[in-house]
Amino acid sequence: MAVQVTPSGRLDLNYASPSSDAKPLRSNSIVRRAELGIDVDFNDDWTFKTRYDFTNDGKFGDVVLTYKGWQTADISVGQFKVPFTLDNLTSSKYIMAIERALPVAGFRPPRHVGIGFSRYREHYTFSVMGFGRSIEGDEGNGVGARYTFAPVASGSTLLHLGTSFVSEDPNGSVQFKAQPESKPTEVNLVNTGTLDDVSRINRLGLEMAYQTGPFTAQIEWMRTSINRQSNPNAAFGGWYVEGGWMLGGGSRRYEYGTFKSPALGKPYGTWELTARYSHLGLNEGGVQGGRENNLTLGLNWHLNNHGRIMFNYIRVHSDRQGVADNPDILLMQTQFHF
Protein backbone atom coordinates (compact mmCIF):
# COMPACT_ATOMS: atom_id res chain seq x y z
CA MET A 1 0.00 0.00 0.00
CA ALA A 2 1.47 3.33 -1.10
CA VAL A 3 1.40 5.97 1.63
CA GLN A 4 2.11 9.63 0.92
CA VAL A 5 2.55 12.09 3.80
CA THR A 6 2.34 15.85 3.10
CA PRO A 7 2.97 18.40 5.87
CA SER A 8 1.37 21.85 5.77
CA GLY A 9 1.76 25.10 7.64
CA ARG A 10 0.27 28.55 7.77
CA LEU A 11 1.00 31.93 9.37
CA ASP A 12 -1.36 34.92 9.17
CA LEU A 13 -0.37 38.24 10.79
CA ASN A 14 -2.99 41.00 11.17
CA TYR A 15 -2.75 44.70 12.05
CA ALA A 16 -5.72 47.04 12.50
CA SER A 17 -5.84 50.80 12.94
CA PRO A 18 -9.41 51.92 13.77
CA SER A 19 -10.89 55.37 14.29
CA SER A 20 -13.07 55.28 17.40
CA ASP A 21 -16.67 56.44 17.49
CA ALA A 22 -18.92 55.45 20.43
CA LYS A 23 -16.61 52.76 21.83
CA PRO A 24 -12.89 53.43 22.30
CA LEU A 25 -10.86 51.30 19.89
CA ARG A 26 -7.10 50.93 19.68
CA SER A 27 -4.59 49.94 17.07
CA ASN A 28 -3.61 46.33 17.53
CA SER A 29 -1.64 43.53 15.91
CA ILE A 30 -2.31 39.81 16.37
CA VAL A 31 -1.20 36.44 15.11
CA ARG A 32 -4.44 35.55 13.37
CA ARG A 33 -3.44 31.96 12.58
CA ALA A 34 -0.37 29.82 13.31
CA GLU A 35 -1.27 26.41 11.96
CA LEU A 36 0.45 23.11 11.34
CA GLY A 37 -1.13 20.13 9.65
CA ILE A 38 -0.57 16.87 7.89
CA ASP A 39 -2.28 15.07 5.01
CA VAL A 40 -1.88 11.32 4.61
CA ASP A 41 -2.96 9.53 1.43
CA PHE A 42 -3.36 5.75 1.65
CA ASN A 43 -3.47 4.73 -2.06
CA ASP A 44 -6.39 6.29 -3.97
CA ASP A 45 -9.16 5.33 -1.53
CA TRP A 46 -8.27 6.68 1.93
CA THR A 47 -7.10 10.09 3.12
CA PHE A 48 -6.52 11.53 6.57
CA LYS A 49 -6.20 15.23 7.35
CA THR A 50 -5.55 17.09 10.57
CA ARG A 51 -4.90 20.75 11.38
CA TYR A 52 -3.95 22.43 14.67
CA ASP A 53 -3.99 26.21 15.25
CA PHE A 54 -1.66 27.32 18.04
CA THR A 55 -3.30 30.73 18.56
CA ASN A 56 -5.76 31.44 21.41
CA ASP A 57 -4.56 28.55 23.63
CA GLY A 58 -4.65 26.15 20.69
CA LYS A 59 -7.49 24.50 18.81
CA PHE A 60 -7.97 21.61 16.41
CA GLY A 61 -9.44 22.36 12.99
CA ASP A 62 -10.13 19.43 10.69
CA VAL A 63 -9.38 15.97 12.05
CA VAL A 64 -11.00 13.78 9.42
CA LEU A 65 -10.66 10.39 7.74
CA THR A 66 -12.22 10.10 4.26
CA TYR A 67 -12.98 7.07 2.14
CA LYS A 68 -13.11 7.82 -1.61
CA GLY A 69 -13.45 4.33 -2.98
CA TRP A 70 -17.25 4.35 -3.15
CA GLN A 71 -18.40 5.69 -6.52
CA THR A 72 -21.63 7.11 -5.13
CA ALA A 73 -20.10 9.46 -2.56
CA ASP A 74 -17.10 10.16 -0.35
CA ILE A 75 -17.57 9.16 3.29
CA SER A 76 -15.91 11.31 5.98
CA VAL A 77 -15.65 10.64 9.72
CA GLY A 78 -14.17 13.00 12.27
CA GLN A 79 -14.25 16.74 12.92
CA PHE A 80 -14.81 19.01 9.92
CA LYS A 81 -16.96 21.90 8.74
CA VAL A 82 -20.73 21.54 8.71
CA PRO A 83 -21.81 22.06 5.05
CA PHE A 84 -23.12 25.64 5.13
CA THR A 85 -22.62 28.49 2.61
CA LEU A 86 -20.02 29.26 -0.04
CA ASP A 87 -17.99 31.83 1.92
CA ASN A 88 -17.79 29.54 4.95
CA LEU A 89 -16.60 26.48 3.03
CA THR A 90 -14.08 28.38 0.90
CA SER A 91 -10.77 28.41 2.77
CA SER A 92 -9.79 31.73 4.32
CA LYS A 93 -6.63 31.42 2.19
CA TYR A 94 -8.77 32.12 -0.86
CA ILE A 95 -11.63 34.44 0.22
CA MET A 96 -11.59 37.96 -1.25
CA ALA A 97 -11.50 39.96 1.99
CA ILE A 98 -9.35 39.45 5.07
CA GLU A 99 -12.30 38.24 7.15
CA ARG A 100 -15.52 36.56 6.13
CA ALA A 101 -18.68 38.66 5.72
CA LEU A 102 -20.82 39.69 8.70
CA PRO A 103 -23.63 37.13 8.29
CA VAL A 104 -21.18 34.26 7.74
CA ALA A 105 -19.29 35.17 10.91
CA GLY A 106 -22.56 35.58 12.80
CA PHE A 107 -24.41 32.46 11.69
CA ARG A 108 -21.98 29.72 10.63
CA PRO A 109 -21.80 26.74 12.97
CA PRO A 110 -18.39 25.71 14.34
CA ARG A 111 -16.70 22.52 13.26
CA HIS A 112 -18.31 19.43 14.78
CA VAL A 113 -17.51 15.74 15.06
CA GLY A 114 -19.74 13.69 12.78
CA ILE A 115 -20.13 11.60 9.67
CA GLY A 116 -20.65 13.07 6.23
CA PHE A 117 -21.46 11.93 2.70
CA SER A 118 -20.35 14.10 -0.22
CA ARG A 119 -20.99 13.59 -3.91
CA TYR A 120 -18.79 15.71 -6.19
CA ARG A 121 -19.52 15.93 -9.90
CA GLU A 122 -18.42 18.36 -12.61
CA HIS A 123 -21.56 20.52 -12.49
CA TYR A 124 -23.08 19.75 -9.10
CA THR A 125 -22.27 18.75 -5.53
CA PHE A 126 -24.31 17.40 -2.64
CA SER A 127 -23.10 17.06 0.95
CA VAL A 128 -24.91 15.94 4.09
CA MET A 129 -23.54 15.62 7.63
CA GLY A 130 -24.87 14.34 10.93
CA PHE A 131 -22.94 15.84 13.84
CA GLY A 132 -22.49 16.00 17.61
CA ARG A 133 -20.22 18.11 19.81
CA SER A 134 -16.74 19.24 18.74
CA ILE A 135 -13.34 18.11 19.99
CA GLU A 136 -13.03 21.39 21.89
CA GLY A 137 -16.38 20.82 23.62
CA ASP A 138 -18.75 22.99 21.54
CA GLU A 139 -22.21 21.66 22.32
CA GLY A 140 -24.98 20.84 19.86
CA ASN A 141 -26.06 18.03 17.58
CA GLY A 142 -27.96 18.04 14.35
CA VAL A 143 -27.77 17.66 10.59
CA GLY A 144 -26.57 19.90 7.76
CA ALA A 145 -26.85 19.66 3.98
CA ARG A 146 -25.69 21.69 0.96
CA TYR A 147 -26.45 21.41 -2.74
CA THR A 148 -24.70 23.35 -5.49
CA PHE A 149 -25.27 23.52 -9.23
CA ALA A 150 -22.99 25.10 -11.81
CA PRO A 151 -24.85 25.22 -15.15
CA VAL A 152 -21.86 27.09 -16.61
CA ALA A 153 -18.36 25.97 -15.61
CA SER A 154 -15.96 26.22 -18.50
CA GLY A 155 -12.46 27.61 -18.18
CA SER A 156 -12.65 30.92 -16.33
CA THR A 157 -16.40 31.37 -16.96
CA LEU A 158 -18.69 30.27 -14.14
CA LEU A 159 -22.26 30.50 -12.90
CA HIS A 160 -22.71 28.90 -9.49
CA LEU A 161 -25.96 28.43 -7.55
CA GLY A 162 -26.42 26.78 -4.19
CA THR A 163 -28.45 26.33 -1.04
CA SER A 164 -27.70 24.94 2.41
CA PHE A 165 -29.66 24.10 5.54
CA VAL A 166 -28.59 23.21 9.08
CA SER A 167 -30.92 22.14 11.90
CA GLU A 168 -29.37 21.90 15.35
CA ASP A 169 -30.33 21.13 18.95
CA PRO A 170 -27.87 23.41 20.76
CA ASN A 171 -27.89 21.52 24.10
CA GLY A 172 -27.18 24.69 26.05
CA SER A 173 -27.00 28.46 25.79
CA VAL A 174 -26.35 30.14 22.45
CA GLN A 175 -25.12 33.53 21.32
CA PHE A 176 -25.02 35.26 17.95
CA LYS A 177 -22.47 38.02 17.45
CA ALA A 178 -19.97 39.33 14.92
CA GLN A 179 -16.88 41.46 14.97
CA PRO A 180 -16.79 44.31 12.40
CA GLU A 181 -14.91 42.08 9.91
CA SER A 182 -11.68 42.87 11.79
CA LYS A 183 -10.30 40.48 14.41
CA PRO A 184 -7.69 42.78 16.03
CA THR A 185 -10.35 45.35 17.04
CA GLU A 186 -11.55 42.87 19.72
CA VAL A 187 -15.12 44.17 19.85
CA ASN A 188 -18.56 42.90 18.81
CA LEU A 189 -20.77 45.79 17.75
CA VAL A 190 -23.75 43.45 17.29
CA ASN A 191 -24.43 40.79 19.90
CA THR A 192 -27.56 39.00 21.10
CA GLY A 193 -26.00 38.19 24.44
CA THR A 194 -26.49 34.74 25.97
CA LEU A 195 -29.79 33.06 25.11
CA ASP A 196 -30.51 30.24 27.59
CA ASP A 197 -33.86 28.87 26.42
CA VAL A 198 -33.19 27.95 22.77
CA SER A 199 -34.40 24.45 21.88
CA ARG A 200 -33.73 24.50 18.12
CA ILE A 201 -31.64 26.51 15.64
CA ASN A 202 -32.46 26.37 11.91
CA ARG A 203 -30.05 27.99 9.46
CA LEU A 204 -30.84 28.57 5.78
CA GLY A 205 -28.46 29.90 3.14
CA LEU A 206 -28.82 30.81 -0.54
CA GLU A 207 -25.77 31.53 -2.69
CA MET A 208 -24.80 32.62 -6.18
CA ALA A 209 -21.46 33.34 -7.85
CA TYR A 210 -20.50 34.54 -11.31
CA GLN A 211 -17.08 34.68 -12.91
CA THR A 212 -15.77 35.76 -16.26
CA GLY A 213 -12.01 35.95 -16.69
CA PRO A 214 -10.43 38.11 -13.98
CA PHE A 215 -13.80 39.29 -12.54
CA THR A 216 -15.64 37.36 -9.82
CA ALA A 217 -18.84 38.29 -7.97
CA GLN A 218 -20.73 36.41 -5.30
CA ILE A 219 -23.81 37.05 -3.19
CA GLU A 220 -25.27 35.14 -0.27
CA TRP A 221 -28.42 35.49 1.84
CA MET A 222 -28.81 33.80 5.23
CA ARG A 223 -31.55 33.41 7.79
CA THR A 224 -31.28 31.87 11.25
CA SER A 225 -34.42 31.09 13.23
CA ILE A 226 -34.50 30.02 16.88
CA ASN A 227 -37.23 28.21 18.79
CA ARG A 228 -37.37 29.30 22.42
CA GLN A 229 -39.01 27.59 25.38
CA SER A 230 -40.03 30.57 27.51
CA ASN A 231 -39.73 33.55 25.13
CA PRO A 232 -41.03 34.38 21.64
CA ASN A 233 -39.34 32.67 18.73
CA ALA A 234 -37.03 34.87 16.65
CA ALA A 235 -35.44 34.95 13.22
CA PHE A 236 -32.30 36.87 12.31
CA GLY A 237 -31.04 37.64 8.82
CA GLY A 238 -28.10 38.85 6.81
CA TRP A 239 -26.63 39.08 3.34
CA TYR A 240 -23.61 40.32 1.46
CA VAL A 241 -22.49 41.03 -2.08
CA GLU A 242 -18.85 41.23 -3.11
CA GLY A 243 -16.70 41.34 -6.19
CA GLY A 244 -13.06 41.18 -7.18
CA TRP A 245 -11.02 42.08 -10.27
CA MET A 246 -7.54 40.68 -10.84
CA LEU A 247 -5.38 43.24 -12.59
CA GLY A 248 -3.14 42.00 -15.37
CA GLY A 249 -4.87 38.66 -15.79
CA GLY A 250 -5.47 35.66 -13.60
CA SER A 251 -8.74 34.27 -12.22
CA ARG A 252 -10.10 32.36 -9.27
CA ARG A 253 -10.14 28.59 -9.62
CA TYR A 254 -13.41 26.82 -8.89
CA GLU A 255 -13.70 23.17 -7.94
CA TYR A 256 -16.63 21.16 -6.59
CA GLY A 257 -18.67 24.02 -5.17
CA THR A 258 -15.94 26.23 -3.64
CA PHE A 259 -13.20 28.59 -4.78
CA LYS A 260 -9.58 27.44 -4.61
CA SER A 261 -6.23 29.18 -5.04
CA PRO A 262 -6.30 31.67 -7.93
CA ALA A 263 -4.53 31.12 -11.22
CA LEU A 264 -2.10 34.04 -11.23
CA GLY A 265 -1.68 36.14 -14.32
CA LYS A 266 2.03 36.91 -13.82
CA PRO A 267 4.92 34.93 -12.29
CA TYR A 268 5.85 37.78 -9.92
CA GLY A 269 2.36 38.18 -8.50
CA THR A 270 -1.06 39.59 -9.26
CA TRP A 271 -2.89 42.58 -7.79
CA GLU A 272 -6.61 42.34 -7.07
CA LEU A 273 -9.20 45.03 -6.32
CA THR A 274 -12.16 43.97 -4.15
CA ALA A 275 -15.34 45.48 -2.72
CA ARG A 276 -18.01 44.13 -0.40
CA TYR A 277 -21.22 45.34 1.25
CA SER A 278 -22.58 43.21 4.09
CA HIS A 279 -25.57 43.35 6.44
CA LEU A 280 -26.42 41.54 9.67
CA GLY A 281 -29.61 42.03 11.70
CA LEU A 282 -30.06 40.55 15.19
CA ASN A 283 -33.25 42.30 16.35
CA GLU A 284 -36.43 40.23 16.69
CA GLY A 285 -38.65 38.48 19.24
CA GLY A 286 -37.52 40.63 22.12
CA VAL A 287 -33.84 40.10 21.27
CA GLN A 288 -32.01 43.40 20.73
CA GLY A 289 -28.71 42.28 19.26
CA GLY A 290 -28.42 45.22 16.88
CA ARG A 291 -27.92 45.84 13.17
CA GLU A 292 -24.72 46.42 11.25
CA ASN A 293 -23.87 47.37 7.66
CA ASN A 294 -20.27 47.36 6.46
CA LEU A 295 -18.66 48.66 3.29
CA THR A 296 -15.24 47.12 2.64
CA LEU A 297 -12.78 48.15 -0.06
CA GLY A 298 -9.73 45.97 -0.56
CA LEU A 299 -6.44 45.56 -2.37
CA ASN A 300 -4.75 42.15 -2.47
CA TRP A 301 -1.26 41.36 -3.68
CA HIS A 302 -1.06 37.66 -4.53
CA LEU A 303 2.69 37.09 -4.28
CA ASN A 304 2.53 33.48 -5.49
CA ASN A 305 0.59 30.32 -4.64
CA HIS A 306 1.98 30.38 -1.09
CA GLY A 307 1.19 33.87 0.14
CA ARG A 308 -0.48 37.22 -0.27
CA ILE A 309 -0.60 40.65 1.37
CA MET A 310 -4.06 42.17 1.89
CA PHE A 311 -5.33 45.65 2.70
CA ASN A 312 -8.94 46.43 3.71
CA TYR A 313 -10.69 49.70 4.48
CA ILE A 314 -13.90 49.01 6.41
CA ARG A 315 -16.62 51.64 6.89
CA VAL A 316 -18.90 50.43 9.71
CA HIS A 317 -22.48 51.54 10.44
CA SER A 318 -23.99 49.83 13.48
CA ASP A 319 -26.84 50.41 15.90
CA ARG A 320 -27.56 48.38 19.04
CA GLN A 321 -30.27 49.29 21.53
CA GLY A 322 -30.44 52.83 20.18
CA VAL A 323 -26.70 53.50 20.31
CA ALA A 324 -24.95 54.08 16.98
CA ASP A 325 -21.29 53.19 16.56
CA ASN A 326 -19.68 53.95 13.19
CA PRO A 327 -15.90 53.49 13.22
CA ASP A 328 -13.58 53.30 10.24
CA ILE A 329 -10.99 50.49 10.24
CA LEU A 330 -7.78 50.05 8.26
CA LEU A 331 -6.86 46.36 8.32
CA MET A 332 -3.80 44.60 6.92
CA GLN A 333 -2.88 40.91 6.72
CA THR A 334 0.25 39.09 5.60
CA GLN A 335 -0.49 35.47 4.79
CA PHE A 336 1.96 32.65 4.13
CA HIS A 337 1.24 28.93 3.75
CA PHE A 338 2.72 25.75 2.34
Side-chain angles (χ1 to χ4, degrees):
M1 179 176 64
V3 178
Q4 181 178 349
V5 179
T6 306
S8 65
R10 182 174 178 185
L11 180 64
D12 295 351
L13 305 175
N14 285 22
Y15 173 78
S17 177
S19 64
S20 300
D21 187 24
K23 292 182 179 180
L25 303 175
R26 62 184 179 89
S27 298
N28 191 25
S29 60
I30 64 170
V31 179
R32 181 66 176 90
R33 297 175 185 89
E35 184 182 277
L36 288 176
I38 190 169
D39 292 4
V40 184
D41 294 308
F42 306 90
N43 56 56
D44 294 330
D45 292 341
W46 294 90
T47 64
F48 174 76
K49 179 173 70 172
T50 183
R51 301 286 186 271
Y52 188 82
D53 188 351
F54 290 87
T55 61
N56 300 319
D57 299 324
K59 187 174 184 179
F60 278 101
D62 290 340
V63 183
V64 56
L65 177 68
T66 301
Y67 176 67
K68 300 182 178 181
W70 187 30
Q71 292 185 351
T72 301
D74 295 349
I75 305 172
S76 298
V77 179
Q79 175 169 283
F80 50 99
K81 286 183 178 181
V82 179
F84 184 67
T85 78
L86 172 62
D87 201 41
N88 176 43
L89 296 178
T90 296
S91 170
S92 54
K93 294 184 292 187
Y94 312 132
I95 57 178
M96 293 187 205
I98 293 175
E99 297 292 342
R100 292 182 170 88
L102 281 172
V104 182
F107 294 149
R108 66 174 179 167
R111 286 175 170 86
H112 283 271
V113 174
I115 181 170
F117 299 84
S118 299
R119 182 177 176 89
Y120 301 117
R121 295 296 182 265
E122 183 178 2
H123 290 282
Y124 75 93
T125 72
F126 176 73
S127 299
V128 62
M129 177 186 183
F131 61 86
R133 63 186 301 168
S134 73
I135 294 174
E136 311 298 336
D138 293 305
E139 296 286 347
N141 58 80
V143 62
R146 177 175 181 251
Y147 175 79
T148 73
F149 176 53
V152 179
S154 176
S156 60
T157 302
L158 168 73
L159 176 61
H160 161 100
L161 305 170
T163 184
S164 52
F165 178 76
V166 179
S167 183
E168 176 185 356
D169 178 356
N171 289 338
S173 62
V174 301
Q175 185 176 17
F176 299 98
K177 59 184 179 179
Q179 295 179 326
E181 297 172 341
S182 171
K183 192 76 170 180
T185 53
E186 299 178 333
V187 66
N188 298 295
L189 299 179
V190 288
N191 189 346
T192 63
T194 301
L195 306 175
D196 294 316
D197 62 342
V198 177
S199 59
R200 176 65 56 181
I201 304 173
N202 292 318
R203 299 174 172 93
L204 174 65
L206 301 176
E207 58 194 65
M208 181 174 68
Y210 174 76
Q211 179 173 272
T212 176
F215 173 74
T216 305
Q218 65 186 59
I219 181 171
E220 295 197 83
W221 172 91
M222 293 159 226
R223 180 179 176 87
T224 295
S225 61
I226 57 174
N227 295 336
R228 309 181 70 186
Q229 298 170 341
S230 55
N231 288 282
N233 296 339
F236 311 123
W239 57 270
Y240 75 89
V241 57
E242 69 178 350
W245 186 283
M246 290 193 172
L247 307 177
S251 62
R252 294 187 176 275
R253 293 192 306 113
Y254 173 86
E255 184 179 53
Y256 299 139
T258 62
F259 285 105
K260 305 296 182 181
S261 60
L264 303 182
K266 297 180 179 180
Y268 50 84
T270 297
W271 291 91
E272 179 184 26
L273 297 174
T274 67
R276 178 171 70 198
Y277 190 86
S278 58
H279 166 77
L280 178 62
L282 301 178
N283 292 333
E284 191 172 293
V287 179
Q288 295 297 313
R291 298 178 183 273
E292 184 172 337
N293 299 286
N294 286 2
L295 172 65
T296 300
L297 303 177
L299 177 64
N300 302 330
W301 182 18
H302 299 267
L303 303 171
N304 49 45
N305 290 326
H306 300 284
R308 59 181 178 172
I309 300 175
M310 308 174 72
F311 303 90
N312 283 177
Y313 165 74
I314 309 165
R315 179 58 177 158
V316 180
H317 289 274
S318 71
D319 183 281
R320 183 168 182 254
Q321 298 181 4
V323 178
D325 200 348
N326 305 320
D328 294 338
I329 303 170
L330 293 176
L331 180 64
M332 175 183 175
Q333 180 179 89
T334 58
Q335 184 184 101
F336 301 100
H337 55 87
F338 64 89

